[in-house]
Amino acid sequence: MGKSAFFSRLTGVGVEVSNYPGTTVEIIKGTLKHEGESINVVDLPGIYSLSASTEDEKAAMKYLIRERPDVVINIIDATRLARNLNLTLQLLEIDIPMVVALNQVDAAEQMGIKIDVEVLEAELGVPVIPTIAIRGKGIDTALHRAIEVVRPLPVDLPHCGRKRHRCCQVKYDDHVEQAIEKIREQIPDISRGICIRALEGDRDFIEGYCENPKEVMEAASIPPRIEETHGQPIKDTIIKDRYGEAGAIEQTAQEKHQVPRQFIDRIDEILTSSRWGLPIFAVLMLTMFYVVFKVGGYLETLIIDIFQTYLITPVSLALSGVHPLVVSAIIFGLLGMEAGLAIVIPFIGTFYIFLSVMEDTGYLPRAAFLLDRYMHRLGLHGRAIIPMLLGYGCNVPAIIAARTLNTHRERIITITMVALTPCSARTVIIMGLVGVFVGFWAAMSIYFIELVIILLTGWMLGKGLPGEQMGFIMEMPPLRYPDVQVIVKKTWFRMKGFVYVAFPILIVGSSILGVVDELGMLAVFEDMLRPVFVGFLGLPAYAATAFIFGILRKEMALEILAVLAGTAVFIDVMTPLQIYVFALVATIYVPCAATIAVIGKELGWRNMVLISGFTIVLSIVVGGAANLLGLALL
């Protein structure tokens, strides 16, 4: 519903990401200046309710309880008003100062939805600001109103004198209302919202909000006859009544009229149809990899030629007569710079542009919808599809996305599959090595092998791990035209981690590697691993060193390979079979350090060791089999 776009418009990109204490969920903090004052803004996880059934909901609830923010900007989707008002009504019940940002009003208008903001504001009793976060419209107004809610402005300023309404109060079933009154009779100073949370059995909330949680929970004990009368737990009755109130508010504040079918609606029907959806998905994925291959390959060749002609060769000649250790440090450092610019940026940049387009248009959920039934036939969970698709960009946020899954079993299966998913860094290896020097279809065969491995792994875990397999429910966002400016910013945001962090490490590490190589220390390490890498996998001995660096960042395996080989034109120093086996092993074995760390945080260090060990053994077995098969065919 545009929460991240709203936050980035407020704070820019200078934000701090950290885990909230007691959870594995990250929250993002930013600071902005407004009229000479510094305002702290916290981006909590996107949630639909305060039920605290998922990690995201638990983190949001803990923050609201412990930190007691001065004001909440509650961003709701104008295209799905009733669905979003459930959380709004819950926030109102616990008396949190709030401003509602009615986002995506432009999309609502295109769908024939018109929301009377003044009526909605009167119904809720809090300020409601229409916004279009992706374009920055209404965000400043929402900020002004949030500050006004916290600290009323002087009477002579134009924002003052606005009509204040009593906050909306849900009218629950008579039995629920009687139970609320019973609690307030026993504890007179307790608020209505606390009573409702107690009746819902939210012990964590009561313990965090009340000084006498035991007394409150005892007062909220429900006579069995009430639940017997309704045929369901009182919590379900409260939820149903709250959704009923949300629907009533929607009917009051919203008008909907038929609009002519637009071209994008027809496209949406085709993309999700049972006949055309899957073929289109296959064509889109194939097109994406082909464009990455062509564009990345062209830029890689161009950058390598420029580096070799105008930098590395002249510098090598200029350093003749200099001490060998100095020469090795400088030349290896330049080779590292060449590898970073020529191999990573062309491929990863092109890939992230495609991924951003798929995200911003709303196509990713449609792909998940299309693939869900087939994944269930393999014993996998449909909701795992979104993290897997995100994993083609980066495994770390994809693993974090698995937090929304309801059970530990689901998270283990999904995270294991994501760890095997070829991320953009692995795409650099596949396309920058196999695609350029062996061929496009050879590169695509590695993706096919990885897909088979992922599906078999998920199927075996699905059959072997105990626990219930949950259903697949997902909200489908409207299909939208992509915003070029947003795509460019998102692509840069994803790439800057390499530019600012990995690139300097690569250059310095390459220089150190040159010195170590000149001293003969690399040869000792490579000789120890020669039986596996040379004897079984058929690779050059220096490939072992490249794989070690690949644990830091996966694309560094290829970059260091170029440094050790002395060239990025790999076909001059390796056979096509060696190139293929290297790429196959590099894309399967243990994920990068960041992925390993986040697996440990999400699943525990024992599961992290098991998953990492499994990928190492699997990569050697698959790589050795490919080498033996290739030699037999030759």
Side-chain angles (χ1 to χ4, degrees):
M1 52 199 62
K3 180 176 63 67
S4 297
F6 195 101
F7 178 77
S8 63
R9 287 279 184 175
L10 275 179
T11 61
V13 295
V15 297
E16 173 191 348
V17 180
S18 61
N19 280 345
Y20 190 68
T23 74
T24 59
V25 178
E26 291 176 341
I27 63 174
I28 305 175
K29 301 176 181 178
T31 303
L32 61 90
K33 293 288 185 180
H34 178 76
E35 297 180 355
E37 289 189 295
S38 179
I39 301 174
N40 296 319
V41 187
V42 179
D43 182 16
L44 294 180
I47 57 176
Y48 284 116
S49 73
L50 297 177
S51 61
S53 60
T54 67
E55 288 295 316
D56 285 348
E57 290 173 347
K58 291 176 183 177
M61 176 64 81
K62 284 184 177 181
Y63 189 90
L64 293 174
I65 293 172
R66 296 178 184 177
E67 307 300 331
R68 305 289 178 94
D70 295 316
V71 61
V72 168
I73 298 180
N74 175 212
I75 303 171
I76 66 176
D77 184 357
T79 66
R80 294 174 174 85
L81 187 58
R83 178 73 173 89
N84 283 233
L85 285 178
N86 175 57
L87 176 61
T88 305
L89 294 174
Q90 284 184 298
L91 292 171
L92 289 173
E93 285 176 343
I94 58 177
D95 300 324
I96 293 181
M98 181 169 56
V99 168
V100 171
L102 185 65
N103 198 34
Q104 301 185 147
V105 291
D106 55 335
E109 290 175 359
Q110 293 174 3
M111 297 168 63
I113 297 173
K114 182 180 179 181
I115 298 174
D116 191 320
V117 174
E118 291 186 359
V119 172
L120 181 59
E121 190 172 90
E123 288 287 327
L124 295 176
V126 295
V128 177
I129 312 299
T131 62
I132 307 175
I134 201 168
R135 300 179 189 170
K137 293 185 178 181
I139 291 179
D140 286 342
T141 305
L143 177 62
H144 279 291
R145 294 290 283 146
I147 294 171
E148 182 182 347
V149 167
V150 178
R151 185 176 56 253
L153 300 175
V155 293
D156 57 338
L157 292 183
H159 279 298
C160 283
R162 289 179 185 257
K163 184 178 179 182
R164 301 277 184 176
H165 303 280
R166 182 174 60 84
C167 288
C168 178
Q169 179 173 298
V170 179
K171 178 65 170 69
Y172 291 104
D173 177 271
D174 289 342
H175 291 113
V176 176
E177 292 291 345
Q178 291 170 12
I180 293 172
E181 289 302 318
K182 174 191 169 187
I183 299 173
R184 301 186 79 171
E185 287 174 3
Q186 297 181 45
I187 311 174
D189 59 344
I190 194 172
S191 69
R192 176 182 172 85
I194 297 295
C195 295
I196 295 169
R197 300 304 298 178
L199 289 171
E200 289 184 282
D202 192 342
R203 186 174 295 276
D204 290 339
F205 180 88
I206 299 302
E207 290 177 352
Y209 238 75
C210 302
E211 296 179 358
N212 53 344
K214 185 176 180 180
E215 182 183 357
V216 173
M217 293 305 297
E218 288 178 354
S221 58
I222 305 300
R225 60 180 179 79
I226 295 181
E227 296 191 341
E228 291 173 2
T229 301
H230 291 274
Q232 61 185 6
I234 193 168
K235 179 179 179 179
D236 293 346
T237 303
I238 291 173
I239 292 173
K240 184 172 68 173
D241 289 347
R242 192 181 290 126
Y243 270 108
E245 182 70 25
I249 294 174
E250 181 185 62
Q251 289 184 352
T252 303
Q254 174 180 294
E255 293 181 8
K256 190 168 184 179
H257 57 273
Q258 292 292 330
V259 294
R261 282 170 52 82
Q262 299 182 11
F263 176 72
I264 198 167
D265 296 325
R266 296 186 176 92
I267 294 295
D268 197 2
E269 288 183 1
I270 296 173
L271 292 178
T272 55
S273 69
S274 57
R275 181 178 182 181
W276 298 106
L278 284 175
I280 290 174
F281 173 74
V283 170
L284 283 175
M285 296 299 289
L286 193 62
T287 301
M288 178 181 69
F289 288 124
Y290 184 74
V291 172
V292 170
F293 160 70
K294 294 297 288 186
V295 174
Y298 171 76
L299 293 175
E300 178 184 9
T301 303
L302 179 64
I303 294 171
I304 288 174
D305 290 342
I306 293 173
F307 255 81
Q308 292 292 332
T309 304
Y310 298 104
L311 190 59
I312 293 179
T313 301
V315 170
S316 298
L317 294 174
L319 292 176
S320 58
V322 180
H323 194 282
L325 287 178
V326 177
V327 174
S328 293
I330 294 175
I331 296 301
F332 271 60
L334 291 175
L335 287 171
M337 184 185 299
E338 175 193 21
L341 290 174
I343 297 174
V344 176
I345 291 179
F347 290 99
I348 203 171
T350 308
F351 182 87
Y352 273 139
I353 289 173
F354 263 94
L355 184 63
S356 298
V357 170
M358 292 175 70
E359 286 180 331
D360 287 6
T361 56
Y363 182 71
L364 281 184
R366 285 158 176 81
F369 168 76
L370 290 169
L371 296 173
D372 176 58
R373 76 174 85 171
Y374 302 100
M375 299 295 281
H376 272 288
R377 290 177 183 175
L378 294 172
L380 307 180
H381 196 293
R383 292 176 69 175
I385 295 172
I386 289 290
M388 285 181 61
L389 291 176
L390 291 176
Y392 280 95
C394 180
N395 289 168
V396 173
I399 290 171
I400 293 172
R403 293 169 180 166
T404 58
L405 301 177
N406 293 325
T407 68
H408 188 63
R409 172 186 179 274
E410 295 168 5
R411 287 193 285 272
I412 290 178
I413 296 173
T414 302
I415 289 173
T416 304
M417 293 193 301
V418 168
L420 292 167
T421 301
C423 62
S424 58
R426 295 171 182 175
T427 293
V428 169
I429 298 174
I430 297 171
M431 289 300 180
L433 190 59
V434 179
V436 172
F437 299 107
V438 181
F440 174 74
W441 291 110
M444 293 309 300
S445 70
I446 293 182
Y447 283 108
F448 177 76
I449 292 172
E450 295 242 17
L451 180 62
V452 171
I453 291 173
I454 291 168
L455 295 178
L456 285 175
T457 301
W459 180 79
M460 288 188 293
L461 288 174
K463 294 293 184 182
L465 289 178
E468 182 182 0
Q469 182 174 330
M470 307 294 289
F472 178 52
I473 301 175
M474 183 182 65
E475 191 168 8
M476 192 79 72
L479 198 65
R480 300 185 181 91
Y481 295 103
D483 187 304
V484 176
Q485 184 180 6
V486 173
I487 288 172
V488 172
K489 286 183 178 180
K490 185 179 289 188
T491 302
W492 164 244
F493 186 79
R494 286 169 163 162
M495 289 183 60
K496 73 175 185 178
F498 170 78
V499 175
Y500 290 156
V501 179
F503 201 71
I505 293 175
L506 173 62
I507 296 174
V508 174
S510 297
S511 296
I512 295 173
L513 198 62
V515 174
V516 173
D517 184 48
E518 187 66 29
L519 294 174
M521 296 171 63
L522 280 182
V524 176
F525 171 74
E526 291 164 0
D527 285 342
M528 293 173 55
L529 299 176
R530 185 176 292 272
V532 175
F533 285 91
V534 178
F536 185 59
L537 296 177
L539 297 173
Y542 53 78
T545 303
F547 284 132
I548 296 299
F549 276 85
I551 297 176
L552 298 177
R553 287 181 66 97
K554 187 61 75 171
E555 72 274 7
M556 287 186 71
L558 185 56
E559 296 159 351
I560 296 300
L561 184 70
V563 172
L564 294 172
T567 178
V569 185
F570 296 102
I571 198 65
D572 292 342
V573 293
M574 297 172 68
T575 66
L577 179 59
Q578 287 178 319
I579 288 174
Y580 189 90
V581 172
F582 179 90
L584 191 60
V585 175
T587 53
I588 297 175
Y589 85 104
V590 60
C592 66
T595 302
I596 293 172
V598 79
I599 291 175
K601 288 164 62 178
E602 298 294 321
L603 297 180
W605 300 108
R606 178 178 176 274
N607 286 323
M608 179 273 290
V609 171
L610 290 175
I611 292 173
S612 299
F614 167 69
T615 62
I616 292 173
V617 173
L618 181 65
S619 66
I620 293 174
V621 170
V622 173
N627 179 49
L628 294 175
L629 180 61
L631 291 174
L633 293 176
L634 293 175

